[in-house]
Amino acid sequence: MDISLIEFMESQLKQTTSTFHRYMYDQISWQSRMFGLVGPRGVGKSTIVLQYIKENRDSKKMFYISADHLYFSSHTLVDTVDEFVKEGGEQIFIDEIHKYENWSRELKQIYDSSPELKVGFTGSSVLDIYKGQADLSRRAPIFLMQGLSFREYLMLFHQIEVPVYTLDEILAQKAHVTAVSHPLPLFHEYLQKGYYPFSGDTDFEIRLRQIVNQTMEVDIPQFANMNASTGRKLKKLLAVIAKSVPFKPVMDSLATVIGVSRNVLPDYFLYMEQAGMIGQLRDDTGGIRGIGKVEKVYLDNTNLAYLLGSESTDTGNIRETFFYNQMRVTTDVISSKISDFEIDGKTFEVGGKKKGKKQIIEATEGYVIKDDIEYGSGNIIPLWSFGLTY
């Protein structure tokens, strides 16, 4: 293999620690002939792959490459992988695959021509992966990774180990952070800057703003074949959302403010959702490609809400954003006709410690989720405990 690629891999492995694994580490089918790991920018996809290589390379000949490496300006993935196979390679990981122009077609060729090789690939933009997935849908399972849960944040930044709790265990008041007497200060710290693995960096806000800019100005316009002026309108739309969430989008008035046709707005919202900038709460069949009607729009996570909402960040919005953001990973969250959220027929009303039970009186099985309380009782559950599900 080319020495520049070898040196790049070794430098990346040297910077990688294995003291903490993201929740997705044990869910990925590492032994699949081919798999994809996708998700928003900055959630740690490259790190998880490098950790796996570092911990398993003694038993198998592995290689790591990044598709945006300068080497690929004059070489193809197909030829590089072919050389690796001829040298006895068994498993290769291709990072930032969406930055390689013909990635989908070449991955298909690699899959068909090297049946004994195992291939993993990552994409910082979930948009491009799904755009090209038609060729790979029957060949490669796609794993979607989100940012840190409150539980992962406690472990990564405070070395506090907490088990994963199911929704039923949380509702039965079984969720506890036994290592600390008062979880609320750490919880409020997480809400402001704990969703991304680089949250401990001194330049956290600068990096997060760069992620927003790159996503809105490069990733989405590139995927949707937009020109630069349309990309700027998209960023303006995000700014409007940031000051208004949670809200039910009124397409006519939004179109007027942004200066675009109302007919393109649903696509813009979907692009931003897939890219990890916003979350759309639907009335049925949740998830990024849910078919239900959009009832509310949130920023994707509370860190973005604090960054983009600045002084106008609403506490009620932060609470709802956190609940939706964390619960969507393991459950199908939809809007409630009588309250805030519904999961598997259960109704959830989210609020502060003075929140009453009025909204859930008619619910078959209703719960009041309260912020600023450490412990719950009956159907009153502390908000922070919903960050322990993954």
Side-chain angles (χ1 to χ4, degrees):
M1 299 302 294
D2 185 85
I3 189 64
S4 67
L5 293 180
I6 294 173
E7 288 177 344
F8 176 75
M9 177 182 74
E10 294 300 336
S11 69
Q12 295 301 300
L13 289 171
K14 191 173 182 179
Q15 298 172 45
T16 302
T17 61
S18 294
T19 54
F20 169 78
H21 285 161
R22 290 296 319 276
Y23 77 100
M24 188 56 72
Y25 191 91
D26 293 326
Q27 297 182 24
I28 294 172
S29 300
W30 296 103
Q31 296 307 309
S32 294
R33 275 195 61 195
M34 181 175 284
F35 73 85
L37 176 62
V38 303
R41 285 178 176 267
V43 297
K45 298 179 297 298
S46 301
T47 298
I48 204 173
V49 165
L50 289 164
Q51 285 177 329
Y52 181 80
I53 297 172
K54 197 167 187 176
E55 293 164 20
N56 294 275
R57 67 191 302 203
D58 290 342
S59 61
K60 184 180 291 188
K61 187 168 183 181
M62 299 178 174
F63 205 61
Y64 168 88
I65 55 179
S66 181
D68 67 346
H69 193 283
L70 186 61
Y71 177 84
F72 293 106
S73 62
S74 57
H75 298 80
T76 67
L77 278 177
V78 168
D79 289 342
T80 305
V81 171
D82 183 60
E83 182 182 350
F84 177 63
V85 170
K86 288 177 179 175
E87 292 180 3
E90 299 173 85
Q91 190 166 21
I92 192 165
F93 297 91
I94 307 168
D95 205 3
E96 304 275 23
I97 191 72
H98 61 282
K99 294 184 178 179
Y100 187 87
E101 187 174 356
N102 296 312
W103 67 269
S104 186
R105 188 172 63 199
E106 292 202 23
L107 279 182
K108 181 177 180 293
Q109 184 175 336
I110 290 167
Y111 182 94
D112 293 338
S113 62
S114 304
E116 295 181 4
L117 179 70
K118 292 180 171 59
V119 180
F121 60 90
T122 76
S124 291
S125 170
V126 71
L127 304 172
D128 290 309
I129 294 297
Y130 284 109
K131 183 181 180 182
Q133 196 180 335
D135 281 344
L136 301 170
S137 57
R138 287 180 291 181
R139 294 172 172 82
I142 305 296
F143 299 91
L144 173 61
M145 189 164 84
Q146 303 288 3
L148 297 173
S149 66
F150 178 45
R151 187 193 75 85
E152 290 183 303
Y153 171 77
L154 290 173
M155 179 60 194
L156 180 58
F157 292 104
H158 297 282
Q159 293 71 56
I160 296 173
E161 289 195 45
V162 183
V164 170
Y165 289 99
T166 65
L167 176 58
D168 287 340
E169 288 172 331
I170 292 170
L171 299 181
Q173 308 287 354
K174 294 181 180 178
H176 302 288
V177 181
T178 55
V180 293
S181 302
H182 305 290
L184 285 176
L186 293 174
F187 176 57
H188 292 142
E189 186 179 280
Y190 165 84
L191 293 177
Q192 294 195 46
K193 47 179 301 183
Y195 187 68
Y196 296 90
F198 58 88
S199 296
D201 295 359
T202 54
D203 61 348
F204 168 71
E205 286 197 7
I206 295 174
R207 286 192 61 184
L208 184 54
R209 202 171 290 279
Q210 287 174 341
I211 284 176
V212 173
N213 291 338
Q214 283 286 101
T215 300
M216 303 303 291
E217 296 175 0
V218 179
D219 294 348
I220 296 176
Q222 187 177 39
F223 166 78
N225 295 318
M226 297 174 179
N227 57 36
S229 63
T230 307
R232 287 192 291 272
K233 290 178 180 178
L234 202 63
K235 196 172 178 183
K236 185 177 180 182
L237 176 59
L238 183 66
V240 172
I241 293 171
K243 294 177 181 177
S244 311
V245 291
F247 79 112
K248 186 169 183 176
V250 180
M251 296 303 181
D252 287 331
S253 58
L254 272 176
T256 302
V257 172
I258 306 304
V260 297
S261 165
R262 73 177 306 282
N263 296 327
V264 302
L265 282 178
D267 286 340
Y268 287 2
F269 276 89
L270 186 60
Y271 296 154
M272 287 190 286
E273 182 179 29
Q274 291 178 333
M277 290 292 103
I278 65 171
Q280 297 189 94
L281 180 67
R282 296 171 173 84
D283 62 1
D284 196 9
T285 314
I288 285 179
R289 279 153 300 284
I291 60 174
K293 180 182 177 184
V294 174
E295 293 294 336
K296 283 185 181 180
V297 177
Y298 298 90
L299 287 172
D300 180 77
N301 61 77
T302 59
N303 293 183
L304 283 177
Y306 276 109
L307 178 78
L308 300 175
S310 59
E311 72 282 349
S312 62
T313 303
D314 177 72
T315 304
N317 164 40
I318 292 293
R319 292 163 178 158
E320 290 185 35
T321 299
F322 169 79
F323 182 89
Y324 180 48
N325 168 270
Q326 298 283 282
M327 296 309 299
R328 69 182 180 182
V329 176
T330 57
T331 64
D332 190 16
V333 187
I334 62 175
S335 64
S336 168
K337 291 181 174 63
I338 59 175
S339 188
D340 291 324
F341 303 99
E342 183 180 315
I343 301 173
D344 296 331
K346 302 176 180 69
T347 302
F348 298 89
E349 177 69 18
V350 180
K353 61 183 177 182
K354 293 183 179 179
K355 170 66 70 172
K357 299 184 179 183
K358 183 174 63 175
Q359 284 89 346
I360 63 168
I361 290 176
E362 299 177 16
T364 303
E365 185 178 349
Y367 298 88
V368 178
I369 314 306
K370 293 189 177 186
D371 192 10
D372 298 323
I373 64 170
E374 293 183 338
Y375 306 99
S377 175
N379 65 345
I380 297 175
I381 318 290
L383 180 62
W384 59 264
S385 62
F386 291 87
L388 309 179
T389 59
Y390 69 92

